[in-house]
Amino acid sequence: MSFVPKLDDQDTVTSERTLQTQDVESGADGFIPNPINKEHTRTLGSLDLSGPLNLDYPNLPIDHNEDIASNFDLASIIDDPTPIDFNETIPDGGYGWAVVVAGFFGNFVVFGISTIWGVFSQALATSVLAGKATTLQLMTVGSIANVCLNLFTPLSTLFIRFGSRFTYAFGSLFMCAGIILAEFSTEIWHLYLTQGILFGFGASFVYMSVVSVIPQWFTTKRGTAMGMSSAGTGLGGLALSPMASFLISKYGIAWAFRITGLVCLGICALGVLLIKDRIPRALRKTMPIKSPIQLSILTNMDFVIWLFGAVIGLLGYLTPMFYLPRYAAHIGINTTDASNLLGILCAMNAVGRIVFGIIADRVGRLNMFMIASLLAGLLTLLLWPFAASYNALLAYAILWGFSCGTYYTFAAPVTGSIVGHKKIAPGLSILFVASSASAMGTPIAAAIQMATPGNGYIGIQMFIGAVYICGAAICLILKYKMTKSLVSFY
């Protein structure tokens, strides 16, 4: 059958092509193509459309976009609302690299500040809030920020019609205001409102503006672009941790909050200037506002098992970052070296995400998530309890930092492979909301420490190792349920 577009009189048809289409049905291993014999003919202006057509990207020849193995292809939870002719002009680079830099800046601040809360909490516990707040209460501040970051993420998708620059700027103002206003805190609940809720609320908007705009600019290079943007998560901690430690020792906790907030505001301002949508403003205004949450997806038992495995494993992610400065002080390491350890851990986190992502294209993303989670758990159980010197703790920071953060690399592709591409938006929305519960891992660890004789750290270390291994075991059950094999690619 031939499909010929209706053209104006002055338009001419200069090329034709034949498309062999496929029916696609979902199976246990993802999408299983079943070719059938249907011919369709397309004609488009003066475009060179020689060669077969790629069904995943109907407007690109297969040799431009064939079998893209990327851990970030499904990174955006924003459904593509653009017409086909708009997608034909995706530059796969160009100004998109400036947008990647904007994403790097956003991740630098969002996750950099989130991971160095342990530096600030240690300083607050020995100064402003000495005798006013317990370790459990201080650790809860960082947890609230991460709860809000995940919980408000689906809400930010409702602002897509205003554009990524608006949501990036809107979130930056709230996020940096939370950091700066924390300097006035004299009670623990002040920090709950500022460094917790206000920062987390703004961070969710910055994060979503980044992951929704980069896919508009890239096709075959989308994995590279998202990887470069996400590198800001680890490098933010690497840079901000020693900076915060220096500011606290030099100028005090209040000025440390103030200067850090202003620096972050300047970084975000650069991001606001660089970020740019490819979707025209007129088209954005016509986009319907719809709820990103679809509870019907919870009828998919494989997805429910994945939720449990991912969230339980993630319970152990934040706690070592928050507790590392405290543990370092406990074994006699000075403040500067402790902050350097945290910075190294964050840097290895960024490296690990990229390396494990590359390996996952060969062994399977769920497989790689399970292996990395098991490794992070075993390192915590077998290495951290015996780290009684700077060098031993440095080894743990390097190895655990390298393996601990794979959830953020594989959350989108694993979810997409389970629920299907058409349901990736509601699937990730529910995953983000569920992931907010994982921030309770740090308060749970604090409660365990309070119940441990002498306020020791052995209970925290056993808890972190156990949840990582438990999460990996649940995902192993999921893999066997879906593939009927323990060693197959998935």
Side-chain angles (χ1 to χ4, degrees):
M1 180 183 295
S2 295
F3 290 88
V4 181
K6 184 177 180 180
L7 303 173
D8 295 333
D9 294 338
Q10 66 269 25
D11 292 335
T12 59
V13 177
T14 61
S15 65
E16 292 188 353
R17 63 185 295 175
T18 300
L19 166 66
Q20 298 294 331
T21 62
Q22 296 176 332
D23 281 346
V24 179
E25 65 183 24
S26 177
D29 293 325
F31 299 113
I32 306 175
N34 296 315
I36 60 175
N37 295 322
K38 294 181 181 179
E39 283 195 348
H40 299 276
T41 301
R42 288 170 53 107
T43 59
L44 287 175
S46 59
L47 295 176
D48 179 11
L49 299 179
S50 59
L53 191 67
N54 188 330
L55 287 177
D56 290 332
Y57 296 86
N59 308 293
L60 293 176
I62 282 182
D63 59 346
H64 287 182
N65 196 26
E66 183 176 7
D67 192 22
I68 303 173
S70 168
N71 293 313
F72 300 97
D73 285 345
L74 297 174
S76 174
I77 73 168
I78 305 296
D79 292 327
D80 183 8
T82 57
I84 291 177
D85 57 349
F86 179 82
N87 290 331
E88 289 177 353
T89 60
I90 293 177
D92 205 27
Y95 190 81
W97 295 115
V99 177
V100 169
V101 175
F104 177 92
F105 287 154
N107 286 321
F108 185 95
V109 175
V110 170
F111 294 99
I113 293 296
S114 297
T115 55
I116 67 166
W117 171 244
V119 175
F120 283 107
S121 67
Q122 175 68 9
L124 287 165
T126 57
S127 58
V128 179
L129 297 181
K132 294 183 178 180
T134 64
T135 300
L136 173 60
Q137 291 172 323
L138 285 169
M139 293 297 104
T140 302
V141 175
S143 297
I144 290 174
N146 283 276
V147 166
C148 293
L149 170 60
N150 287 283
L151 198 59
F152 290 120
T153 293
L155 175 65
S156 63
T157 64
L158 302 178
F159 290 78
I160 185 175
R161 61 169 51 198
F162 298 107
S164 296
R165 179 167 291 170
F166 171 83
T167 54
Y168 195 109
F170 179 81
S172 297
L173 290 175
F174 278 90
M175 182 171 61
C176 297
I179 301 172
I180 295 172
L181 291 176
E183 69 169 289
F184 300 107
S185 300
T186 57
E187 300 291 340
I188 189 64
W189 65 269
H190 298 164
L191 290 169
Y192 290 159
L193 295 177
T194 55
Q195 187 67 26
I197 295 175
L198 197 59
F199 173 83
F201 175 78
S204 68
F205 281 81
V206 174
Y207 176 72
M208 277 311 304
S209 65
V210 169
V211 300
S212 65
V213 72
I214 291 178
Q216 298 175 24
W217 291 90
F218 295 92
T219 53
T220 60
K221 298 177 182 177
R222 186 177 296 174
T224 301
M226 293 298 293
M228 292 174 63
S229 172
S230 66
T233 61
L235 296 180
L238 174 63
L240 293 176
S241 178
M243 186 190 83
S245 179
F246 170 78
L247 292 174
I248 291 170
S249 61
K250 184 76 172 180
Y251 302 107
I253 189 69
W255 271 102
F257 273 122
R258 187 178 302 150
I259 295 173
T260 301
L262 291 174
V263 168
C264 291
L265 183 62
I267 294 173
C268 289
L270 293 175
V272 170
L273 294 175
L274 292 173
I275 199 167
K276 181 181 179 182
D277 283 286
R278 285 193 66 251
I279 303 176
R281 183 178 301 177
L283 181 59
R284 292 200 308 266
K285 290 182 178 179
T286 63
M287 294 178 184
I289 298 178
K290 56 182 180 180
S291 172
I293 303 293
Q294 297 179 17
L295 296 180
S296 61
I297 201 172
L298 294 176
T299 59
N300 184 335
M301 187 54 60
D302 292 338
F303 178 66
V304 173
I305 296 174
W306 163 239
L307 280 181
F308 275 97
V311 172
I312 289 176
L314 197 59
L315 280 169
Y317 176 67
L318 289 174
T319 305
M321 298 184 185
F322 289 175
Y323 269 94
L324 194 64
R326 286 176 171 269
Y327 181 81
H330 173 72
I331 62 174
I333 298 175
N334 62 57
T335 304
T336 301
D337 287 340
S339 64
N340 289 337
L341 284 172
L342 183 58
I344 292 171
L345 187 154
C346 293
M348 294 305 300
N349 192 343
V351 174
R353 294 185 191 191
I354 297 173
V355 172
F356 279 121
I358 294 172
I359 299 175
D361 286 331
R362 298 180 180 274
V363 304
R365 286 140 188 184
L366 185 60
N367 290 339
M368 197 71 263
F369 176 77
M370 291 187 295
I371 293 171
S373 296
L374 178 63
L375 181 60
L378 290 176
L379 285 169
T380 304
L381 291 175
L382 302 177
L383 184 55
W384 190 8
F386 305 101
S389 65
Y390 177 84
N391 290 335
L393 195 57
L394 175 62
Y396 173 74
I398 292 173
L399 296 174
W400 186 84
F402 184 78
S403 60
C404 69
T406 53
Y407 165 84
Y408 294 99
T409 301
F410 301 126
V414 172
T415 301
S417 67
I418 293 173
V419 304
H421 182 69
K422 291 184 178 180
K423 294 184 179 180
I424 184 67
L428 280 178
S429 295
I430 292 177
L431 179 62
F432 283 142
V433 172
S435 296
S436 63
S438 66
M440 292 299 101
T442 303
I444 292 173
I448 292 174
Q449 185 185 31
M450 292 172 64
T452 302
N455 285 336
Y457 289 83
I458 187 66
I460 294 176
Q461 294 154 350
M462 296 300 103
F463 168 73
I464 296 168
V467 294
Y468 264 109
I469 294 174
C470 183
I474 292 174
C475 290
L476 183 63
I477 294 172
L478 169 64
K479 180 191 171 180
Y480 185 79
K481 179 179 182 297
M482 297 181 68
T483 67
K484 306 303 179 185
S485 172
L486 295 178
V487 296
S488 62
F489 179 95
Y490 194 86

